[in-house]
Amino acid sequence: MQRKPFRHVPHPFFAVGFNYHPSATGCHYWQKWDPLRIDQDFQEMKRRGFNTVRFFTFWADFEPVAGHYDTVVTARLQELVQIARNHDLWCIPALLTIWMNGQLFDLPWRRGRDLWTDADMVTHEIKYVQHIASALRDAKNILSYDLGDEVIHVDLACARKLSRSAVKSWQKTLSDAIRQADPDAHVLQGNEASTILGNHEFRPENSQALDLIALHGFPLWAPFAIESVMSYKSTSFVPFLVQYARTDGPVLIDELGSYGTDEAVASAFLRATTHSALANGAVGTLVWCWQDFTSREKPFDTHPNERFVGLLKADGTAKQPMPVFQEFARRAQQEWSQLAIPAAPVGVYIPERGERSAENYLQPQSSSTTAAFYAYLLLKRAHVPFEFTHGPLDNYNLIICPSVEHLTLHELELLARYVAQGGTVYYSSAEYLHGFGGEELFGIQLQDFTLNAQDMAYFTWQGQDYPVHWPQRGTAYTQIAVVKATSAEVLARFPDGSPALTCHTYGDGRAYYLNAPLELQMDEPFRLQQYPWHALYATLAAQAGVQKVIDVDHPDVELNTVHDTGKEYAFLTNHAREQVQIKLTHYREQRTYHLTLEGKGIQVLSWERAMKKSDNEKYLSDYPVVL
């Protein structure tokens, strides 16, 4: 998806900064106005090397009476933006701010009406966002307008009932209204991770009216079996969100942080996550939040531990994560702001989501994003370059369809055409009937189902055992498919002798079928690293002709290769909490490097690009720079 460049912003640009309320006034700063304190805070942000601040225009402060805007508060908004400009800070104002830190700061005149289907409320929203955009139209430092911070939580039950078309229409209506008032405006809408993982339609693929996809990254509230903030999966979570969402547009992580940790853990989390998010394609990271709060008012009276998530203490002294974030900000802006991600040879297929209907016996709640998360982790552990995709598929060596619970006929035909033209598909099934891939493409038939999980407890392929835990669906028994091969080759069998892994030649390509939810069954504490599951992905990629230019020999270390006009970079992120020794091999150069990475540590290697005049071939120099 093509998005227009940021207005007024020098290119290239990487947004790095903070979410902001003043410490003393908290969420009440529009009424308890302290411009001197705001000036001091913004001056300090700039001094520490940051370039962006996100703040919140609490709607009730600006329109306390329906249709009547507080001119004093509006003037304060203009003053705040000017203060930010004085210190060279870009601003992201979140407009329809009603929900914050788990509580409603509701409009006294809303009277329970929902924000999406009540025509009168939508009219008020249009006029309100135009009021704000008009007030800031001449400002030269508005990076983007945010329609509303986690606005679905103003009325989550209503938000979940909205159709795809209703969500698209609402976002377009308000985005158009903003651009009518401020024609050069960018628009986003900040959502927590349910925008990818939840059962509503405020999703990246429905965001065509927006210029950026804005996501919040807090592993504490991830739905997966993340064992701790220092765990491998924790610092992989936000980069996964980036990879998944950038299929549909540029991704800004506009809230990032760790709750309930000491400063050492928070530092380690921030270091690994920010670097990995950047290397996976994020266009910015904004930490939650700037400073601890001394305010004792709502919402901190009810949620007192929300006061202590700043990177500055209440007295203004820096916590341990602050210099970590400062160093990242410096390098992200000065050294890494022009990075590009090369095309990937492997695609992880994102299933279509039709207009959502109520859960029923034929259409249970999908776990496709859980499967996608573990496919992401397996490919990272195998160091196989990949990206998520809705299609087209033609440019990939290998398409991975992880733990499929349902595909449409159109999608199965899409896969069949891809394979017939010479592609390779790996398909694992997670549902007995609707997750079956079909005989034509895979050369197998459904024979029956069984409830005897012991008969299907493991399989062995190329000397590696792969245990299988069959996930339970609530209180229902798991119906495990038993298949038989018709024209497919059986590569591995379960203990009962039935096929586990098969390969079918179809046209000019190959279709691998795993009759087990390999990815979905990993969502248990500590299970991911109990076995070298990623060996299966690595073997499939090699058989599909995927060739690595650079590789490392430790699965806990993430490798991202990116480039700019003059250099190629290898970003190495140790997602383990322990120090590791690794060997990096650059196959094109036939060189090997031995490196040490601390727990949650980062190293970035770069190679200057040069030209051999003798044969006019491009090559990488023999002089890597460890940054």
Side-chain angles (χ1 to χ4, degrees), residues 101-120:
N101 296 88
Q103 292 192 48
L104 289 179
F105 288 73
D106 214 344
L107 296 157
W109 46 268
R110 185 171 73 92
R111 300 189 300 275
R113 292 174 292 174
D114 83 67
L115 303 179
W116 306 284
T117 63
D118 186 286
D120 185 54

Side-chain angles (χ1 to χ4, degrees), residues 25 69 86 92 117 236 295 331 351 396 426 439 460 463 468 501 517 531 561 584 586 589 592:
T25 54
Y69 303 110
N86 293 343
I92 301 177
T117 63
S236 299
S295 170
R331 300 180 70 183
Y396 298 104
Y426 157 82
E439 182 178 6
T460 302
V468 179
L501 180 66
Y531 299 93
T561 56
L584 180 144
H586 198 306
E589 288 299 304
T592 299

Side-chain angles (χ1 to χ4, degrees), residues 106-177:
D106 214 344
L107 296 157
W109 46 268
R110 185 171 73 92
R111 300 189 300 275
R113 292 174 292 174
D114 83 67
L115 303 179
W116 306 284
T117 63
D118 186 286
D120 185 54
M121 282 305 302
V122 172
T123 298
H124 280 293
E125 292 160 26
I126 292 170
K127 292 179 179 179
Y128 172 66
V129 300
Q130 288 189 324
H131 171 73
I132 299 296
S134 296
L136 300 179
R137 175 173 180 159
D138 295 329
K140 303 299 183 183
N141 60 325
I142 301 299
L143 188 67
S144 181
Y145 294 96
D146 180 351
L147 293 183
D149 177 60
E150 298 184 1
V151 70
I152 62 172
H153 292 287
V154 174
D155 193 334
L156 185 57
C158 289
R160 284 175 171 165
K161 293 177 182 178
L162 295 174
S163 68
R164 174 178 298 178
S165 57
V167 169
K168 288 183 176 182
S169 176
W170 182 80
Q171 290 184 338
K172 185 176 188 305
T173 295
L174 293 192
S175 297
D176 287 348

Side-chain angles (χ1 to χ4, degrees), residues 487-507:
S487 53
E489 176 188 2
V490 178
L491 304 179
R493 296 183 182 274
F494 290 118
D496 68 352
S498 67
L501 180 66
T502 59
C503 180
H504 184 225
T505 300
Y506 184 80

Side-chain angles (χ1 to χ4, degrees), residues 211-366:
D211 299 291
L212 288 167
I213 298 167
L215 300 174
H216 303 171
F218 300 99
L220 177 64
W221 293 294
F224 309 127
I226 292 179
E227 298 85 356
S228 69
V229 174
M230 283 294 282
S231 70
Y232 173 88
K233 284 183 277 188
S234 174
T235 49
S236 299
F237 173 61
V238 173
F240 158 72
L241 297 179
V242 173
Q243 269 273 25
Y244 192 100
R246 73 179 179 88
T247 305
D248 296 290
V251 178
L252 172 69
I253 300 299
D254 65 342
E255 290 186 19
L256 173 67
S258 57
Y259 277 70
T261 66
D262 66 14
E263 292 184 26
V265 171
S267 298
F269 171 81
L270 196 59
R271 180 189 302 110
T273 302
T274 53
H275 286 82
S276 180
L278 180 150
N280 279 283
V283 300
T285 52
L286 308 180
V287 161
W288 186 277
C289 56
W290 168 243
Q291 188 173 13
D292 288 351
F293 296 100
T294 58
S295 170
R296 299 172 61 87
E297 295 183 271
K298 178 182 178 177
F300 306 120
D301 57 344
T302 302
H303 295 149
N305 287 331
E306 292 275 357
R307 295 176 298 159
F308 305 114
V309 293
L311 293 201
L312 293 180
K313 297 177 182 178
D315 65 6
T317 58
K319 296 182 185 178
Q320 191 175 335
M322 179 61 87
V324 172
F325 194 38
Q326 284 182 245
E327 178 63 10
F328 169 76
R330 180 187 69 81
R331 300 180 70 183
Q333 295 175 80
Q334 296 178 9
E335 302 173 31
W336 303 328
S337 59
Q338 301 185 64
L339 297 182
I341 298 175
V346 175
V348 179
Y349 184 70
I350 299 175
E352 294 177 357
R353 291 199 177 195
E355 285 285 2
R356 187 174 47 80
S357 62
E359 183 175 342
N360 55 66
Y361 75 99
L362 287 176
Q363 186 174 316
Q365 178 62 47
S366 172

Side-chain angles (χ1 to χ4, degrees), residues 316-489:
T317 58
K319 296 182 185 178
Q320 191 175 335
M322 179 61 87
V324 172
F325 194 38
Q326 284 182 245
E327 178 63 10
F328 169 76
R330 180 187 69 81
R331 300 180 70 183
Q333 295 175 80
Q334 296 178 9
E335 302 173 31
W336 303 328
S337 59
Q338 301 185 64
L339 297 182
I341 298 175
V346 175
V348 179
Y349 184 70
I350 299 175
E352 294 177 357
R353 291 199 177 195
E355 285 285 2
R356 187 174 47 80
S357 62
E359 183 175 342
N360 55 66
Y361 75 99
L362 287 176
Q363 186 174 316
Q365 178 62 47
S366 172
S367 303
S368 62
T369 50
T370 302
F373 178 57
Y374 286 94
Y376 169 93
L377 296 178
L378 292 182
L379 286 160
K380 288 294 186 181
R381 295 177 71 77
H383 306 117
V384 173
F386 71 97
E387 60 194 21
F388 289 97
T389 182
H390 302 291
L393 309 179
D394 297 344
N395 293 328
Y396 298 104
N397 294 59
L398 172 65
I399 292 294
I400 291 176
C401 301
S403 297
V404 175
E405 294 178 310
H406 178 260
L407 287 186
T408 65
L409 179 59
H410 165 73
E411 291 176 291
L412 291 173
E413 290 172 343
L414 179 71
L415 293 175
R417 284 195 300 271
Y418 164 75
V419 175
Q421 294 169 5
T424 300
V425 160
Y426 157 82
Y427 185 112
S428 61
S429 176
E431 205 273 339
Y432 167 56
L433 182 61
H434 301 295
F436 178 59
E439 182 178 6
E440 178 184 358
L441 177 56
F442 292 104
I444 56 176
Q445 288 181 346
L446 285 175
Q447 188 175 36
D448 199 353
F449 71 83
T450 180
L451 300 183
N452 190 345
Q454 291 302 311
D455 283 352
M456 323 279 278
Y458 69 91
F459 65 95
T460 302
W461 187 43
Q462 296 197 344
Q464 177 62 52
D465 291 336
Y466 296 93
V468 179
H469 286 181
W470 293 89
Q472 199 76 11
R473 287 188 180 278
T475 58
Y477 293 104
T478 300
Q479 295 171 330
I480 303 170
V482 180
V483 303
K484 66 178 181 181
T486 53
S487 53
E489 176 188 2

